[in-house]
Amino acid sequence: MKTAILTVGTEILFGQIVNTNAAYLSEQLNHLGYDVMYHYTVGDNPGRLHDLIELAFRDCDLILTTGGLGPTQDDLTKEVICETMGDHLVVNDDCLAELKAYAARRNRVLTENNYKQANMPSRAIVLPNDAGTAPGFALERDGKWIISMPGPPREMTNMFRKQVKPLLQKWQDSVIYYRQIRTFGLGESLMETKLLPLIDGQTDPTLATYAKEGECSLRIASKRPTKEEAKAAVDEMTEKVKAIIGESIYSYDNEELVDVVGRILKEKNITISCAESCTGGLFAGALTDVPGISAVFERGIVTYTNRAKMEELGVSAATLDAYGAVSEETAAEMAEGLAKKTGSDLCVSVTGVAGPDPSEGKPVGLIYIGLTYKGKTRVTQVQRHNSSRKWNRNYAVLTMLHEIYQEIK
Amino acid sequence: MKTAILTVGTEILFGQIVNTNAAYLSEQLNHLGYDVMYHYTVGDNPGRLHDLIELAFRDCDLILTTGGLGPTQDDLTKEVICETMGDHLVVNDDCLAELKAYAARRNRVLTENNYKQANMPSRAIVLPNDAGTAPGFALERDGKWIISMPGPPREMTNMFRKQVKPLLQKWQDSVIYYRQIRTFGLGESLMETKLLPLIDGQTDPTLATYAKEGECSLRIASKRPTKEEAKAAVDEMTEKVKAIIGESIYSYDNEELVDVVGRILKEKNITISCAESCTGGLFAGALTDVPGISAVFERGIVTYTNRAKMEELGVSAATLDAYGAVSEETAAEMAEGLAKKTGSDLCVSVTGVAGPDPSEGKPVGLIYIGLTYKGKTRVTQVQRHNSSRKWNRNYAVLTMLHEIYQEIK
């Protein structure tokens, strides 16, 4: 079914928030076999919102909206949709009771403007919101549907999962199966050039590359009458791709690198600690985002000063004097010192110049990563060009993860 | 000038990447006094891309596009725009030379598909790309303009700053001045209710609230013939707002809480260290994102295990036995132990249950934050409800920052 995602909110047009809702819904809809044709964003403006709904219905049979269901005066999505779909608002007793119960549970007083959230289009399927005060709804006109959800991502995703997804599963007509393959260290042009014999003239499965900083992904997708047929086509193509770029692939299942590394560490019961300088805790923060990692993650030390590097990790003053804090030698001593201190199976260290300014006469983007595993230490050097502080730090974390992956895969 | 932002890329409709470009451009355009009316996203499809351009030109005089300028087969934004604007492509010698020079600098070989990036509409103003291989361009038809930029955010923002912004500044007709006020600990409904006397019937300056998890912002905007007039109107309204909700405001200048805290620490030369359990390094990672923080940030310790809490911070076994790792007592001993070890002026600690599962019989979302400053230690308790692991961790970091802010402001 052809679908449009319509996000309502002046704050998005002002650039105050990033539209993560559209990305989440797109991914979910694609999984369910719906074709997302457009994303639209419009402000809290009745005329333009009405026009975009009519426009979307020219091509699409389904519109998912997020935003504009809140209690404030500029929230008018419900009112506009109701009118556009030829319906009128009535007080919904269930919604009103829920709203009062929600406020009571949290010891909050309902303000006057909260009450309008209990009004609903008379023909709507009401979608309860157990994570906030704004219920959603589904409303039909001439066989076309609008499903309207609140804007805050936590409320929206919760409502989608519990209320909307089951509805969409009932309506579905064909099945897309896809696999997202992830690589590290391979540019997009090079990947496409290598895969050109597979991409050229291919209609199903389709292959599409896309690049993120430091990573490049490949999506293999097939749309068939049944899931089994689509999956078989994707599996067959996957084997062909593997034969060409298998060396660079770290996930056949769209896993983040940090999740792959976390999973292997847990499976093999390899304990890990880390010592960070330029990344300042981002590596530990990323790794501890993996649920259950506490079984193997022991300790992280952020040694931002030379004193901390000496006291915490036993890096020698002589090394810091001779080579500086950003050096192969310091990275090695950081990893080795951490291994001695913690006894963890694998110890990783990082020291570098994140920027914006050079340090110790060394250029921005120079990064050393140390890794001690099974009594051996090795150091990897990276030099980023024209890259921001933020991206130097993020790329350092990615490279640390990839070095660990190479070691334990 | 009424403006639309048009993002091209199937990967966005698949939900593989989040559309951060639209947010960045919206913010920049608003600063320059341009009215962003719409965001559109469409796949790499010539017909639909053409139709959306024509649609946007019905309301708008300017379209900014990102994406689809890459070297691969499905990148066809330039070709479609060129045709829609009644122009044709020619090889641009400057672009070709730049492309070759770029590849030479990085020791890369140009693949066949790279060469099409040197083609340009014959009437275009070419916008060089010194961060990648795809140049952008500006193209006019009947007084309406399209400005087309590459999709990767690093290339796009670089091109916008250096090439597009100067163009837009020349074209500008009126001035928006705005101020973004940021608060912590105040819900959106409550903020609007308190400010209703100022919001009601207000046309300029306008006031708009918006909520993020844990924070709520207020935007005061004025559009006047000159910047001075707009600023004066915003300043006057700011004073009225301050009189009502001043206690909850931490920035009058849209600063992130972490930047405010980092700035004050640096200004007052207060040295800081942190000890993290449930946040696993995220606090240190956030704070060290502030350039120059190395002047005051000394050390971070991620003590994920009880052993690490004892060895690194001197938390007593008796305390861990009697109260558990997630307790007021442990949070206090973590902060005090860290202060003793590092001698930093301010030491902050955190221990909590991030989830997804309860721990030590304690509920998900329970967080204790310890703070030792000037010889005194205090602990703050937070209980989050129905919140994810990710958000419990992020909220813990925000609360740590806010506790520090309260102490040092």
Side-chain angles (χ1 to χ4, degrees), chain B residues 253-273:
Chain B
D253 200 22
N254 200 26
E255 271 186 292
E256 297 286 340
L257 186 49
V258 67
D259 292 319
V260 173
V261 168
R263 181 169 46 71
I264 301 175
L265 289 171
K266 286 189 285 178
E267 280 169 8
K268 300 195 174 175
N269 197 27
I270 300 168
T271 58
I272 179 169
S273 291

PDB file of all heavy atoms in Angstrom, chain B residues 253-273:
ATOM      1  N   ASP B 253      20.160  31.547  25.541  1.00  0.00           N
ATOM      2  CA  ASP B 253      20.860  31.621  24.258  1.00  0.00           C
ATOM      3  C   ASP B 253      20.932  30.252  23.592  1.00  0.00           C
ATOM      4  O   ASP B 253      21.868  29.969  22.852  1.00  0.00           O
ATOM      5  CB  ASP B 253      22.264  32.174  24.524  1.00  0.00           C
ATOM      6  CG  ASP B 253      22.888  32.744  23.266  1.00  0.00           C
ATOM      7  OD1 ASP B 253      22.128  33.084  22.339  1.00  0.00           O
ATOM      8  OD2 ASP B 253      24.130  32.817  23.212  1.00  0.00           O
ATOM      9  N   ASN B 254      19.939  29.406  23.880  1.00  0.00           N
ATOM     10  CA  ASN B 254      19.851  28.079  23.268  1.00  0.00           C
ATOM     11  C   ASN B 254      21.104  27.233  23.465  1.00  0.00           C
ATOM     12  O   ASN B 254      21.434  26.404  22.623  1.00  0.00           O
ATOM     13  CB  ASN B 254      19.537  28.179  21.771  1.00  0.00           C
ATOM     14  CG  ASN B 254      18.970  26.878  21.230  1.00  0.00           C
ATOM     15  OD1 ASN B 254      18.377  26.104  21.988  1.00  0.00           O
ATOM     16  ND2 ASN B 254      19.154  26.613  19.961  1.00  0.00           N
ATOM     17  N   GLU B 255      21.799  27.463  24.561  1.00  0.00           N
ATOM     18  CA  GLU B 255      22.954  26.611  24.839  1.00  0.00           C
ATOM     19  C   GLU B 255      22.480  25.279  25.381  1.00  0.00           C
ATOM     20  O   GLU B 255      21.521  25.202  26.153  1.00  0.00           O
ATOM     21  CB  GLU B 255      23.848  27.266  25.902  1.00  0.00           C
ATOM     22  CG  GLU B 255      24.915  28.186  25.358  1.00  0.00           C
ATOM     23  CD  GLU B 255      25.839  28.652  26.480  1.00  0.00           C
ATOM     24  OE1 GLU B 255      25.376  29.417  27.351  1.00  0.00           O
ATOM     25  OE2 GLU B 255      27.000  28.257  26.485  1.00  0.00           O
ATOM     26  N   GLU B 256      23.173  24.227  25.018  1.00  0.00           N
ATOM     27  CA  GLU B 256      22.953  22.930  25.656  1.00  0.00           C
ATOM     28  C   GLU B 256      23.395  23.040  27.109  1.00  0.00           C
ATOM     29  O   GLU B 256      24.359  23.744  27.430  1.00  0.00           O
ATOM     30  CB  GLU B 256      23.797  21.849  24.976  1.00  0.00           C
ATOM     31  CG  GLU B 256      23.473  21.578  23.526  1.00  0.00           C
ATOM     32  CD  GLU B 256      22.173  20.810  23.339  1.00  0.00           C
ATOM     33  OE1 GLU B 256      21.715  20.168  24.310  1.00  0.00           O
ATOM     34  OE2 GLU B 256      21.602  20.876  22.240  1.00  0.00           O
ATOM     35  N   LEU B 257      22.725  22.267  27.962  1.00  0.00           N
ATOM     36  CA  LEU B 257      23.076  22.263  29.383  1.00  0.00           C
ATOM     37  C   LEU B 257      24.555  21.914  29.573  1.00  0.00           C
ATOM     38  O   LEU B 257      25.256  22.506  30.395  1.00  0.00           O
ATOM     39  CB  LEU B 257      22.162  21.271  30.117  1.00  0.00           C
ATOM     40  CG  LEU B 257      22.243  21.188  31.629  1.00  0.00           C
ATOM     41  CD1 LEU B 257      22.191  22.559  32.289  1.00  0.00           C
ATOM     42  CD2 LEU B 257      21.125  20.296  32.173  1.00  0.00           C
ATOM     43  N   VAL B 258      25.050  20.951  28.781  1.00  0.00           N
ATOM     44  CA  VAL B 258      26.453  20.540  28.929  1.00  0.00           C
ATOM     45  C   VAL B 258      27.401  21.682  28.566  1.00  0.00           C
ATOM     46  O   VAL B 258      28.463  21.838  29.183  1.00  0.00           O
ATOM     47  CB  VAL B 258      26.755  19.275  28.084  1.00  0.00           C
ATOM     48  CG1 VAL B 258      26.674  19.557  26.586  1.00  0.00           C
ATOM     49  CG2 VAL B 258      28.120  18.700  28.422  1.00  0.00           C
ATOM     50  N   ASP B 259      27.006  22.519  27.613  1.00  0.00           N
ATOM     51  CA  ASP B 259      27.866  23.639  27.235  1.00  0.00           C
ATOM     52  C   ASP B 259      27.865  24.732  28.309  1.00  0.00           C
ATOM     53  O   ASP B 259      28.891  25.354  28.570  1.00  0.00           O
ATOM     54  CB  ASP B 259      27.426  24.207  25.881  1.00  0.00           C
ATOM     55  CG  ASP B 259      27.696  23.226  24.751  1.00  0.00           C
ATOM     56  OD1 ASP B 259      28.765  22.600  24.761  1.00  0.00           O
ATOM     57  OD2 ASP B 259      26.836  23.084  23.871  1.00  0.00           O
ATOM     58  N   VAL B 260      26.665  24.946  28.900  1.00  0.00           N
ATOM     59  CA  VAL B 260      26.577  25.922  29.994  1.00  0.00           C
ATOM     60  C   VAL B 260      27.466  25.480  31.154  1.00  0.00           C
ATOM     61  O   VAL B 260      28.276  26.253  31.681  1.00  0.00           O
ATOM     62  CB  VAL B 260      25.113  26.058  30.487  1.00  0.00           C
ATOM     63  CG1 VAL B 260      25.044  26.940  31.715  1.00  0.00           C
ATOM     64  CG2 VAL B 260      24.232  26.619  29.373  1.00  0.00           C
ATOM     65  N   VAL B 261      27.341  24.218  31.535  1.00  0.00           N
ATOM     66  CA  VAL B 261      28.120  23.683  32.656  1.00  0.00           C
ATOM     67  C   VAL B 261      29.608  23.731  32.324  1.00  0.00           C
ATOM     68  O   VAL B 261      30.428  24.179  33.142  1.00  0.00           O
ATOM     69  CB  VAL B 261      27.669  22.244  32.990  1.00  0.00           C
ATOM     70  CG1 VAL B 261      28.655  21.574  33.943  1.00  0.00           C
ATOM     71  CG2 VAL B 261      26.267  22.259  33.593  1.00  0.00           C
ATOM     72  N   GLY B 262      29.976  23.311  31.124  1.00  0.00           N
ATOM     73  CA  GLY B 262      31.384  23.332  30.714  1.00  0.00           C
ATOM     74  C   GLY B 262      31.950  24.744  30.752  1.00  0.00           C
ATOM     75  O   GLY B 262      33.069  24.972  31.215  1.00  0.00           O
ATOM     76  N   ARG B 263      31.161  25.694  30.274  1.00  0.00           N
ATOM     77  CA  ARG B 263      31.610  27.092  30.252  1.00  0.00           C
ATOM     78  C   ARG B 263      31.861  27.620  31.664  1.00  0.00           C
ATOM     79  O   ARG B 263      32.903  28.236  31.939  1.00  0.00           O
ATOM     80  CB  ARG B 263      30.553  27.958  29.538  1.00  0.00           C
ATOM     81  CG  ARG B 263      30.905  29.423  29.435  1.00  0.00           C
ATOM     82  CD  ARG B 263      29.978  30.203  28.497  1.00  0.00           C
ATOM     83  NE  ARG B 263      28.556  29.945  28.674  1.00  0.00           N
ATOM     84  CZ  ARG B 263      27.827  30.347  29.718  1.00  0.00           C
ATOM     85  NH1 ARG B 263      28.387  31.028  30.695  1.00  0.00           N
ATOM     86  NH2 ARG B 263      26.529  30.072  29.800  1.00  0.00           N
ATOM     87  N   ILE B 264      30.907  27.353  32.578  1.00  0.00           N
ATOM     88  CA  ILE B 264      31.071  27.863  33.954  1.00  0.00           C
ATOM     89  C   ILE B 264      32.272  27.201  34.634  1.00  0.00           C
ATOM     90  O   ILE B 264      33.051  27.859  35.319  1.00  0.00           O
ATOM     91  CB  ILE B 264      29.784  27.640  34.780  1.00  0.00           C
ATOM     92  CG1 ILE B 264      28.597  28.358  34.116  1.00  0.00           C
ATOM     93  CG2 ILE B 264      29.968  28.147  36.208  1.00  0.00           C
ATOM     94  CD1 ILE B 264      27.267  28.099  34.788  1.00  0.00           C
ATOM     95  N   LEU B 265      32.422  25.886  34.444  1.00  0.00           N
ATOM     96  CA  LEU B 265      33.570  25.193  35.032  1.00  0.00           C
ATOM     97  C   LEU B 265      34.874  25.844  34.566  1.00  0.00           C
ATOM     98  O   LEU B 265      35.782  26.078  35.366  1.00  0.00           O
ATOM     99  CB  LEU B 265      33.562  23.707  34.631  1.00  0.00           C
ATOM    100  CG  LEU B 265      32.489  22.815  35.260  1.00  0.00           C
ATOM    101  CD1 LEU B 265      32.486  21.441  34.581  1.00  0.00           C
ATOM    102  CD2 LEU B 265      32.700  22.656  36.768  1.00  0.00           C
ATOM    103  N   LYS B 266      34.948  26.139  33.267  1.00  0.00           N
ATOM    104  CA  LYS B 266      36.169  26.731  32.732  1.00  0.00           C
ATOM    105  C   LYS B 266      36.360  28.157  33.264  1.00  0.00           C
ATOM    106  O   LYS B 266      37.447  28.525  33.697  1.00  0.00           O
ATOM    107  CB  LYS B 266      36.144  26.733  31.196  1.00  0.00           C
ATOM    108  CG  LYS B 266      36.364  25.344  30.590  1.00  0.00           C
ATOM    109  CD  LYS B 266      36.560  25.400  29.078  1.00  0.00           C
ATOM    110  CE  LYS B 266      35.238  25.639  28.365  1.00  0.00           C
ATOM    111  NZ  LYS B 266      35.387  25.737  26.906  1.00  0.00           N
ATOM    112  N   GLU B 267      35.269  28.948  33.232  1.00  0.00           N
ATOM    113  CA  GLU B 267      35.360  30.341  33.698  1.00  0.00           C
ATOM    114  C   GLU B 267      35.819  30.427  35.149  1.00  0.00           C
ATOM    115  O   GLU B 267      36.644  31.244  35.510  1.00  0.00           O
ATOM    116  CB  GLU B 267      33.990  31.025  33.573  1.00  0.00           C
ATOM    117  CG  GLU B 267      33.667  31.502  32.175  1.00  0.00           C
ATOM    118  CD  GLU B 267      32.197  31.922  32.057  1.00  0.00           C
ATOM    119  OE1 GLU B 267      31.495  31.984  33.108  1.00  0.00           O
ATOM    120  OE2 GLU B 267      31.761  32.173  30.926  1.00  0.00           O
ATOM    121  N   LYS B 268      35.235  29.553  35.995  1.00  0.00           N
ATOM    122  CA  LYS B 268      35.552  29.618  37.428  1.00  0.00           C
ATOM    123  C   LYS B 268      36.722  28.718  37.792  1.00  0.00           C
ATOM    124  O   LYS B 268      37.059  28.593  38.966  1.00  0.00           O
ATOM    125  CB  LYS B 268      34.306  29.235  38.243  1.00  0.00           C
ATOM    126  CG  LYS B 268      33.119  30.163  38.000  1.00  0.00           C
ATOM    127  CD  LYS B 268      32.040  29.989  39.056  1.00  0.00           C
ATOM    128  CE  LYS B 268      30.937  31.033  38.872  1.00  0.00           C
ATOM    129  NZ  LYS B 268      29.806  30.825  39.794  1.00  0.00           N
ATOM    130  N   ASN B 269      37.282  28.041  36.777  1.00  0.00           N
ATOM    131  CA  ASN B 269      38.421  27.140  36.987  1.00  0.00           C
ATOM    132  C   ASN B 269      38.148  26.118  38.091  1.00  0.00           C
ATOM    133  O   ASN B 269      38.942  25.962  39.025  1.00  0.00           O
ATOM    134  CB  ASN B 269      39.682  27.955  37.285  1.00  0.00           C
ATOM    135  CG  ASN B 269      40.930  27.119  37.094  1.00  0.00           C
ATOM    136  OD1 ASN B 269      40.929  26.164  36.306  1.00  0.00           O
ATOM    137  ND2 ASN B 269      41.984  27.447  37.818  1.00  0.00           N
ATOM    138  N   ILE B 270      37.002  25.461  37.999  1.00  0.00           N
ATOM    139  CA  ILE B 270      36.630  24.408  38.948  1.00  0.00           C
ATOM    140  C   ILE B 270      37.006  23.074  38.324  1.00  0.00           C
ATOM    141  O   ILE B 270      36.451  22.690  37.293  1.00  0.00           O
ATOM    142  CB  ILE B 270      35.107  24.444  39.230  1.00  0.00           C
ATOM    143  CG1 ILE B 270      34.709  25.789  39.832  1.00  0.00           C
ATOM    144  CG2 ILE B 270      34.691  23.277  40.130  1.00  0.00           C
ATOM    145  CD1 ILE B 270      33.207  26.031  39.882  1.00  0.00           C
ATOM    146  N   THR B 271      37.944  22.357  38.930  1.00  0.00           N
ATOM    147  CA  THR B 271      38.332  21.063  38.357  1.00  0.00           C
ATOM    148  C   THR B 271      37.278  20.011  38.711  1.00  0.00           C
ATOM    149  O   THR B 271      36.637  20.080  39.757  1.00  0.00           O
ATOM    150  CB  THR B 271      39.710  20.610  38.859  1.00  0.00           C
ATOM    151  OG1 THR B 271      39.677  20.542  40.287  1.00  0.00           O
ATOM    152  CG2 THR B 271      40.798  21.572  38.410  1.00  0.00           C
ATOM    153  N   ILE B 272      37.100  19.049  37.795  1.00  0.00           N
ATOM    154  CA  ILE B 272      36.008  18.087  37.959  1.00  0.00           C
ATOM    155  C   ILE B 272      36.459  16.686  37.555  1.00  0.00           C
ATOM    156  O   ILE B 272      37.253  16.506  36.628  1.00  0.00           O
ATOM    157  CB  ILE B 272      34.777  18.529  37.116  1.00  0.00           C
ATOM    158  CG1 ILE B 272      33.632  17.519  37.259  1.00  0.00           C
ATOM    159  CG2 ILE B 272      35.148  18.717  35.636  1.00  0.00           C
ATOM    160  CD1 ILE B 272      32.312  18.002  36.682  1.00  0.00           C
ATOM    161  N   SER B 273      35.968  15.694  38.294  1.00  0.00           N
ATOM    162  CA  SER B 273      36.113  14.292  37.914  1.00  0.00           C
ATOM    163  C   SER B 273      34.767  13.603  38.112  1.00  0.00           C
ATOM    164  O   SER B 273      33.897  14.123  38.816  1.00  0.00           O
ATOM    165  CB  SER B 273      37.186  13.600  38.755  1.00  0.00           C
ATOM    166  OG  SER B 273      38.477  14.093  38.419  1.00  0.00           O
TER     167      SER B 273
END
